[in-house]
Amino acid sequence: MSDELLTHEEDGILVMTINRPEAKNAMTKAASEAIAAALDRLDAEDHLRVGILTGAGGTFCSGMDLKGFLRGESPSVPGRGFGGLTEKKPAKPLIAAVEGYALAGGLELMIACDLVVASVSAKFGIPEAKRGLAAAAGGLMVLPDLIPHKVAMELALTGEFITAQRAYELGMINRITEGSALDGAMELARAINANGPLAVRISKQIMEESRGWPRDKRYEEQAKLLPKVFMSEDAREGSLAFAEKRSPNWKGR
């Protein structure tokens, strides 16, 4: 794996750190491919239950590496999108831990994550128009689904930044931390980890996929996925653990 992405495991959590602090973690093709490989590993290894994506050196990601762009390099992975993430998410939960700036493609990486924990000093924006470019990795399509349309329009057309507090008020991020965003993300990841992994994964799948289901077919489509949860060993274990006043011993099946 490229040294442009560092990974480590802790308590079933895979932490992925974009490691280009000298370039404000601007995204390269090598870093994108490394993120895609790490996300494949997150989904493939049963003992891993939650992923965290963050950046080294006090910045999340400043977007596409413009020097690479001028050389003709694309910081995307076919079928996976920018940063190996924006077009295909992992099946397991992914949290963004944001320090400093999440700009342009960096913001698009962030909103591709399921949950976001940000430092109180973090800043967010899609300033591509200032460089004669467009936020083509989800900023123009996904952001209006997450925040009011007119606010998303203003961000896209002006390229201006917003604060962590404003992002929280808009519902773009989940939690603001006074201290380390990664510490806050680890706390959130552990809260998820305490739950049945199969229930978590299927719940995420339903919440993602149901946005595209016809309204009159939603319960019908959901019913195709729910037996994987309700007929599982974990469903019985969760009920037994509750009755016996103990912590569940999840199997993920």
Side-chain angles (χ1 to χ4, degrees), residues 3-33:
D3 60 6
E4 294 186 8
L5 185 77
L6 306 178
T7 62
H8 75 272
E9 297 178 28
E10 185 176 338
D11 301 328
I13 301 162
L14 180 63
V15 179
M16 296 157 278
T17 305
I18 305 166
N19 187 40
R20 303 191 70 232
E22 74 288 350
K24 302 296 184 184
N25 297 322
M27 188 56 54
T28 64
K29 184 174 181 59
S32 295
E33 290 172 345

Side-chain angles (χ1 to χ4, degrees), residues 17 27 70 110 115-116 119 150 159 191 217 228 252:
T17 305
M27 188 56 54
L70 291 172
M110 183 193 87
L115 301 164
V116 182
S119 165
K150 291 188 183 300
K217 299 290 186 181
K228 297 177 183 178

Side-chain angles (χ1 to χ4, degrees), residues 7-253:
T7 62
H8 75 272
E9 297 178 28
E10 185 176 338
D11 301 328
I13 301 162
L14 180 63
V15 179
M16 296 157 278
T17 305
I18 305 166
N19 187 40
R20 303 191 70 232
E22 74 288 350
K24 302 296 184 184
N25 297 322
M27 188 56 54
T28 64
K29 184 174 181 59
S32 295
E33 290 172 345
I35 291 171
L39 295 177
D40 284 343
R41 176 186 168 201
L42 172 66
D43 277 345
E45 298 184 14
D46 289 342
H47 71 285
L48 296 174
R49 297 186 181 180
V50 182
I52 295 176
L53 182 65
T54 192
T59 294
F60 180 69
C61 175
S62 60
M64 175 175 63
D65 185 280
L66 294 179
K67 292 180 181 178
F69 171 72
L70 291 172
R71 294 193 302 268
E73 178 182 290
S74 173
S76 296
V77 175
R80 305 294 290 263
F82 180 86
L85 169 62
T86 57
E87 293 178 27
K88 183 183 178 184
K89 298 182 180 183
K92 295 175 184 176
L94 181 62
I95 303 170
V98 180
E99 302 278 358
Y101 292 97
L103 302 178
L107 183 132
E108 292 167 312
L109 277 181
M110 183 193 87
I111 63 176
C113 296
D114 301 300
L115 301 164
V116 182
V117 177
S119 165
V120 68
S121 60
K123 298 287 193 301
F124 309 88
I126 44 173
E128 280 89 342
K130 291 180 179 290
R131 301 289 180 265
L133 302 170
L140 302 180
M141 297 182 292
V142 178
L143 193 58
D145 290 338
L146 302 178
I147 66 175
H149 185 272
K150 291 188 183 300
V151 178
M153 184 73 76
E154 182 178 345
L155 290 175
L157 301 187
T158 67
E160 294 175 353
F161 302 168
I162 60 173
T163 64
Q165 183 60 40
R166 178 64 170 148
Y168 178 77
E169 291 166 355
L170 290 168
M172 189 188 295
I173 65 178
N174 297 84
R175 298 182 182 184
I176 297 176
T177 64
E178 293 289 342
S180 163
L182 181 55
D183 288 347
M186 289 294 292
E187 179 182 352
L188 183 55
R190 290 189 180 103
I192 295 169
N193 255 0
N195 300 324
L198 186 59
V200 166
R201 182 169 60 80
I202 297 299
S203 293
K204 171 181 170 173
Q205 182 180 354
I206 291 171
M207 293 191 76
E208 289 286 339
E209 294 181 4
S210 64
R211 299 171 74 186
W213 294 341
R215 186 169 294 274
D216 62 346
K217 299 290 186 181
R218 285 183 175 180
Y219 281 96
E220 180 181 331
E221 293 298 321
Q222 179 178 251
K224 297 175 183 178
L225 297 171
L226 287 179
K228 297 177 183 178
V229 176
F230 286 93
M231 301 300 290
S232 68
E233 290 182 35
D234 278 355
R236 180 171 176 79
E237 167 63 12
S239 299
L240 279 172
F242 177 79
E244 296 171 359
K245 296 185 170 72
R246 60 173 175 82
S247 296
N249 180 23
W250 303 121
K251 302 292 187 184
R253 57 178 186 268

